[in-house]
Amino acid sequence: MNRYIAPSELPINSDGSVFHLHLKPEHLAKRIIMVGDPARVNVVASKFDKDSIICDIQNREYHTITGTYKGVPVTCLSHGIGNGNIDIVMTELDALVNVDLKERTELPDSKLLTIVRLGTSGSLQDDVPVGSFVCSDRSIGFDGLLNYYQTESDTLDLDYESEFCKHTKYHERFARPYVVKADQKLAEIIGEGMVHGTTISAPGFYAPQGRYVRKSPLQPELNSLIRSFTYNGTRICNMEMESAPVAGLAKLFGHRAVTVCDIIAGRTTGKMNTSYHGGIEELISLVLERIIKVD
């Protein structure tokens, strides 16, 4: 019997839109670019075809514009900062295509979304300088989000997780990290010519990423241990806040996702580029050209 999804489990607004995003199924394209900053949605949409916008909807930090790029429908959506927002966005995006919002039951034929998260990040390696573009083939979630979900055996890389915790002497007070791969075909297409590696998603910007302003992180040597970790010839390139929950929830829900980032901070050099908008515009153009080629 098809499970009824109660209003307290999936709130729907009076106009039939999902609770946080304020979107209806007809507002969504199957190719989605996700960004953190609501204002960056306008930058992406400025590259859409003239007069092609079918929706421009904003609620809180969630801003969505859908139009076409070279005739192909594309949605750009802002998710704000952090893993909690990703849990909301990914769940409601999936509901828009895989749940009958009126009957509150799962649709019989599941639909697949193609999701590219485009963001900024800090490099953990000397040879990944500020201005580089990094494609996250694999992500490590320090946020613990996926640990709250029942996961299939192939969703998480438990061997990698175990070796990582052992090498870094991962503190017992931290949430258990989880390791998840991006969609490999999507990573090849979107990340062509970029640096490829593993990305860490932290649950905060300061101490969770090893920054020390006035209060020392609990494990100050963690970033140094992260830099020296390798697994089957791969290494950890960068650190941000959302790639792991995006990749993990996409895999759980039957979608495909990858994160690409513009490196704006060099954590080994101490350098920071706060005027990174030119790099982001270049990355946006690259992603738009490539996402429309994905079947």
Side-chain angles (χ1 to χ4, degrees):
M1 185 175 180
N2 207 350
R3 172 176 165 260
Y4 175 78
I5 304 169
S8 60
E9 304 297 294
L10 178 65
I12 303 296
N13 297 313
S14 59
D15 65 353
S17 63
V18 290
F19 186 63
H20 297 90
L21 303 185
H22 281 215
L23 299 179
K24 299 177 184 179
E26 60 266 27
H27 295 145
L28 200 64
K30 69 176 184 179
R31 295 172 180 85
I32 301 170
I33 296 174
M34 288 178 24
V35 297
D37 183 357
R40 196 171 295 154
V41 175
N42 294 319
V43 179
V44 176
S46 71
K47 301 178 185 297
F48 287 174
D49 300 332
K50 185 180 179 182
D51 300 325
S52 72
I53 305 300
I54 66 164
C55 79
D56 185 342
I57 297 169
Q58 184 159 9
N59 180 52
R60 301 185 184 183
E61 59 267 67
Y62 310 116
H63 182 197
T64 305
I65 297 179
T66 296
T68 65
Y69 180 75
K70 296 188 175 179
V72 179
V74 177
T75 292
C76 185
L77 163 68
S78 64
H79 54 66
I81 296 175
N83 62 293
N85 281 339
I86 299 302
D87 187 46
I88 289 170
V89 169
M90 294 297 290
T91 301
E92 293 192 2
L93 287 177
D94 178 69
L96 284 166
V97 295
N98 287 320
V99 173
D100 184 324
L101 300 182
K102 292 181 179 178
E103 298 297 325
R104 294 188 160 276
T105 56
E106 189 174 341
L107 292 167
D109 299 315
S110 60
K111 294 180 181 177
L112 178 147
L113 297 172
T114 296
I115 299 167
V116 178
R117 194 187 91 74
L118 188 159
T120 56
S121 182
S123 169
L124 292 168
Q125 303 293 345
D126 291 337
D127 59 347
V128 184
V130 171
S132 303
F133 296 156
V134 173
C135 179
S136 306
D137 290 340
R138 181 188 275 110
S139 298
I140 306 173
F142 282 6
D143 50 80
L145 177 63
L146 244 67
N147 299 334
Y148 290 89
Y149 284 88
Q150 289 187 12
T151 54
E152 303 297 330
S153 58
D154 63 344
T155 302
L156 304 178
D157 191 334
L158 299 179
D159 289 338
Y160 189 116
E161 176 188 313
S162 177
E163 290 300 314
F164 174 81
C165 289
K166 192 183 304 180
H167 176 86
T168 59
K169 303 175 179 63
Y170 205 69
H171 201 285
E172 62 181 8
R173 284 183 59 190
F174 297 155
R176 182 75 180 180
Y178 60 91
V179 182
V180 61
K181 286 184 178 180
D183 182 272
Q184 296 304 289
K185 182 180 178 183
L186 189 60
E188 288 174 10
I189 296 170
I190 301 297
E192 181 184 353
M194 300 181 188
V195 176
H196 285 252
T198 300
T199 297
I200 286 174
S201 294
F205 184 80
Y206 290 99
Q209 295 190 35
R211 289 184 170 92
Y212 184 5
V213 180
R214 292 186 61 239
K215 297 295 183 180
S216 173
L218 178 60
Q219 191 180 354
E221 73 282 7
L222 181 59
N223 278 7
S224 178
L225 292 167
I226 289 169
R227 281 193 286 272
S228 64
F229 177 72
T230 60
Y231 182 82
N232 289 344
T234 65
R235 62 179 180 158
I236 297 168
C237 290
N238 61 319
M239 184 178 284
E240 45 85 87
M241 296 178 66
E242 294 93 11
S243 66
V246 168
L249 290 175
K251 186 171 283 191
L252 279 182
F253 296 151
H255 306 297
R256 54 188 174 189
V258 70
T259 289
V260 292
C261 286
D262 180 14
I263 298 296
I264 66 169
R267 301 303 306 282
T268 60
T269 63
K271 293 181 179 179
M272 178 76 187
N273 176 22
T274 56
S275 302
Y276 53 82
H277 302 291
I280 281 290
E281 285 226 32
E282 181 184 348
L283 186 56
I284 288 169
S285 295
L286 272 177
V287 170
L288 278 168
E289 287 293 332
R290 293 172 180 179
I291 198 171
I292 64 172
K293 297 175 183 177
V294 179
D295 294 331

